[in-house]
Amino acid sequence: MISITREMPGVLSLLEEISKFPLEKRPSIAIASRNLVHPMIKASDFPNLRILGYVEDPRPLYRSAKLSLVPAFHVSGTKNQILQSWAVGTPVVSTKQSALSVQAEDKVNVLVGNDPLDLAAVTMMALGDDEMRLLIARMEVRSFKKNILGIKR
């Protein structure tokens, strides 16, 4: 789920970078947000973009996604999108700022991109590497159980 008001520049930049890849390699991206979606995103020329609006229960979306993208460069508080993804075992690609909000570590329990170009590259790399996504997802579930639920095993 992407909060468009604060994260719109990151979302737009990410979409712009991903649109540079050949059409057949571009991922489908769904944006769920309780906020209004910015007109520039609605008007973007990204054929695989679905704008869902507010979603009461995002868990089925997280479960069905190959990746969860958290492109926030300006973060205050905890990025719940990462925690929700961890809870269902969906691998996360995020910015360093978002990862730090939940004490996540790059290539341990999240994949990090430092700018929109890097985020797009990490996203495309992860989509093409089933083994890496599975490994990251396993570590995310462990992180969620240990850091959030307090389960030590």
Side-chain angles (χ1 to χ4, degrees):
M1 208 165 5
I2 298 173
S3 173
I4 299 303
T5 51
R6 284 193 320 263
E7 299 165 25
M8 190 214 31
V11 173
L12 285 171
S13 297
L14 178 62
L15 289 175
E16 185 178 302
E17 291 302 327
I18 288 177
S19 70
K20 294 176 183 175
F21 286 88
L23 186 58
E24 66 276 2
K25 292 191 179 218
R26 291 185 209 166
S28 294
I29 295 178
I31 297 176
S33 177
R34 73 177 69 230
N35 301 310
L36 293 175
V37 176
H38 194 278
M40 287 178 67
I41 291 175
K42 286 183 180 179
S44 69
D45 187 27
F46 195 83
N48 300 340
L49 177 66
R50 291 182 307 137
I51 299 172
L52 306 175
Y54 176 71
V55 175
E56 183 71 33
D57 181 3
R59 289 174 296 182
L61 290 175
Y62 287 117
R63 282 189 198 105
S64 67
K66 283 188 175 184
L67 288 175
S68 180
L69 297 172
V70 186
F73 289 96
H74 304 285
V75 176
S76 61
T78 301
K79 294 308 297 174
N80 287 325
Q81 296 94 326
I82 295 175
L83 299 179
Q84 291 169 330
S85 297
W86 282 4
V88 298
T90 300
V92 175
V93 172
S94 79
T95 61
K96 182 178 180 179
Q97 297 89 327
S98 294
L100 288 173
S101 80
V102 295
Q103 301 172 3
E105 296 177 57
D106 187 25
K107 296 181 184 76
V108 174
N109 50 14
V110 69
L111 297 170
V112 172
N114 296 309
D115 56 44
L117 178 62
D118 198 25
L119 263 178
V122 170
T123 298
M124 298 305 287
M125 178 273 307
L127 287 171
D129 190 337
D130 294 340
E131 192 173 308
M132 173 167 295
R133 284 197 319 275
L134 184 59
L135 178 64
I136 293 293
R138 284 184 186 148
M139 293 305 294
E140 289 174 343
V141 170
R142 287 185 191 145
S143 295
F144 182 78
K145 286 179 177 178
K146 179 182 173 190
N147 298 334
I148 306 306
L149 300 178
I151 299 170
K152 301 295 180 196
R153 322 192 275 176

